[in-house]
Amino acid sequence: TSGRMIISSCGLATAPALSSRQAFLNRLLLVTILKHQGTAFIVPSRNLHHSRSLSFILPQSSLSNSMDSNSETSSRNYNLAQDPSELFDLYPAPPSVSRYNSIITSDWGKSYFPSPKSTGKVKERGRVHVDGDWHRSVQVWIVQADSQRDEIRVLLQRRSPYKDTHPNLLDVSCAGHANAGDGVLDSAIRELEEELGGNDMIQGQFSLEDVERSKAFIVTSAIEGETEKYGKFICREYQDVFILWWKGNTPMNTELFAPLVQEEVSGFEIMDGRELIKRMRQNSEELVPRSIEYVEALAKAIGCEE
């Protein structure tokens, strides 16, 4: 209809668990309500990949990327970039402080390997990053091998200025926290859709099985910092890292990707894999900081070791 656009939230070839899907749809609906003061309609999609897909009919004005200097709009943008009230499962700390930035291996014991076990407690995101509780996140690297040029091309996202940790820095292709009750695989799929799927590229490029097979390693990460909006933060995570290799001969380019929620991601860049690893080893101020253990595991996984 005139003056409206349909934004579809279709999923991958095989549907993720309902908890992850429903959380994703609820978040997209919240974005609609906040932006249009309740003007939103939910209708079945005409191009369903599975029975849980829905479409949101939004006024055309919802696609505006301009940032209003008004304080109310600014506050709304921060809320869209993350929900401080969303719940995270809590996890025990690593066996010792020396393993706060390490790859999890079998010698950690059954409580951590092959996958850390939660404590059964949950806490709001806003408190987790203040109190320094250990929680779970997923990180998905999209990588393309160019055999003719002997290059590895890596997709990077630039984090939104509204994020509560590391705003404006270049980061992994897509990433996000695992919400309470959600599995790691479901969370990875949700983040692929939410941060990269605005142009409908993800739906046809990767299957559920592709994502499942791409799990590379789990690393602990303990980082402290400060932002102008949120003040000091303590982010302690068990990070499940996935490496998804781009399919086909079509060059991967940034125009193929777009976030469904504009306030979460500012843009995308593609960097040579060797250059990326070099900058990560040098602790480039433009990149989200990673431990040397993470960097070396990533270098090995994408074939960019020295």
Side-chain angles (χ1 to χ4, degrees), residues 119 131-132 145 161 182 207 239 257 295 298:
T119 64
D131 299 338
D182 282 357
S207 69
Q239 299 173 342
F257 308 96
V295 176
L298 177 63

Side-chain angles (χ1 to χ4, degrees), residues 27-289:
R27 180 164 176 73
L28 193 55
L29 180 57
L30 173 63
V31 170
T32 301
I33 293 173
L34 287 173
K35 284 189 173 183
H36 302 288
Q37 300 179 350
T39 305
F41 306 90
I42 307 177
V43 298
S45 171
R46 296 181 180 179
N47 184 25
L48 298 181
H49 286 260
H50 53 76
S51 60
R52 294 173 185 158
S53 295
L54 296 175
S55 293
F56 292 78
I57 301 180
L58 310 181
Q60 187 72 29
S61 61
S62 70
L63 301 181
S64 172
N65 293 330
S66 62
M67 293 186 181
D68 193 329
S69 60
N70 181 277
S71 60
E72 180 179 348
T73 300
S74 178
S75 177
R76 180 188 64 196
N77 288 340
Y78 281 105
N79 289 334
L80 292 176
Q82 61 268 306
D83 178 6
S85 65
E86 64 183 338
L87 295 177
F88 294 163
D89 289 317
L90 302 185
Y91 287 79
S96 65
V97 175
S98 63
R99 294 184 173 182
Y100 269 24
N101 291 282
S102 302
I103 305 296
I104 295 181
T105 54
S106 59
D107 64 316
W108 283 50
K110 294 181 179 179
S111 295
Y112 300 94
F113 184 87
S115 181
K117 294 178 174 58
S118 72
T119 64
K121 298 179 180 180
V122 299
K123 185 183 284 190
E124 292 185 347
R125 174 193 184 118
R127 293 307 311 169
V128 165
H129 285 162
V130 171
D131 299 338
D133 298 291
W134 286 88
H135 53 291
R136 200 79 172 261
S137 72
V138 295
Q139 304 197 353
V140 184
W141 294 90
I142 309 294
V143 183
Q144 183 179 40
D146 188 337
S147 57
Q148 293 183 344
R149 298 182 179 181
D150 189 30
E151 289 181 350
I152 301 294
R153 306 172 73 242
V154 182
L155 177 70
L156 303 175
Q157 69 159 261
R158 186 169 294 280
R159 292 171 64 83
S160 162
Y162 305 113
K163 299 301 287 184
D164 57 355
T165 60
H166 309 298
N168 297 311
L169 297 186
L170 287 173
D171 198 7
V172 58
S173 310
C174 75
H177 293 93
N179 294 329
D182 282 357
V184 170
L185 181 60
D186 295 338
S187 300
I189 292 169
R190 183 195 68 227
E191 293 303 328
L192 281 166
E193 293 179 330
E194 189 171 339
E195 296 191 354
L196 303 182
N199 289 342
D200 293 330
M201 180 284 305
I202 291 295
Q203 288 84 344
Q205 183 67 21
F206 302 112
S207 69
L208 179 68
E209 290 73 23
D210 290 333
V211 179
E212 189 171 18
R213 289 193 296 264
S214 72
K215 178 79 167 287
F217 55 89
I218 304 177
V219 62
T220 57
S221 173
I223 298 177
E224 299 183 20
E226 187 172 358
T227 66
E228 181 178 353
K229 169 68 176 179
Y230 293 96
K232 294 182 178 180
F233 66 84
I234 306 172
C235 189
R236 293 172 176 164
E237 297 179 338
Y238 290 96
Q239 299 173 342
D240 292 74
V241 180
F242 298 77
I243 311 294
L244 271 175
W245 290 89
W246 187 256
K247 293 181 177 180
N249 298 321
T250 303
M252 181 173 66
N253 66 78
T254 57
E255 295 179 358
L256 296 172
F257 308 96
L260 287 174
V261 181
Q262 297 291 336
E263 287 78 5
E264 287 209 48
V265 179
S266 292
F268 300 96
E269 295 185 22
I270 292 178
M271 187 179 295
D272 174 73
R274 295 178 180 85
E275 178 64 21
L276 171 64
I277 296 300
K278 176 183 175 182
R279 293 190 188 185
M280 293 177 79
R281 286 170 175 157
Q282 294 173 343
N283 294 318
S284 169
E285 294 183 355
E286 193 177 14
L287 295 165
V288 171

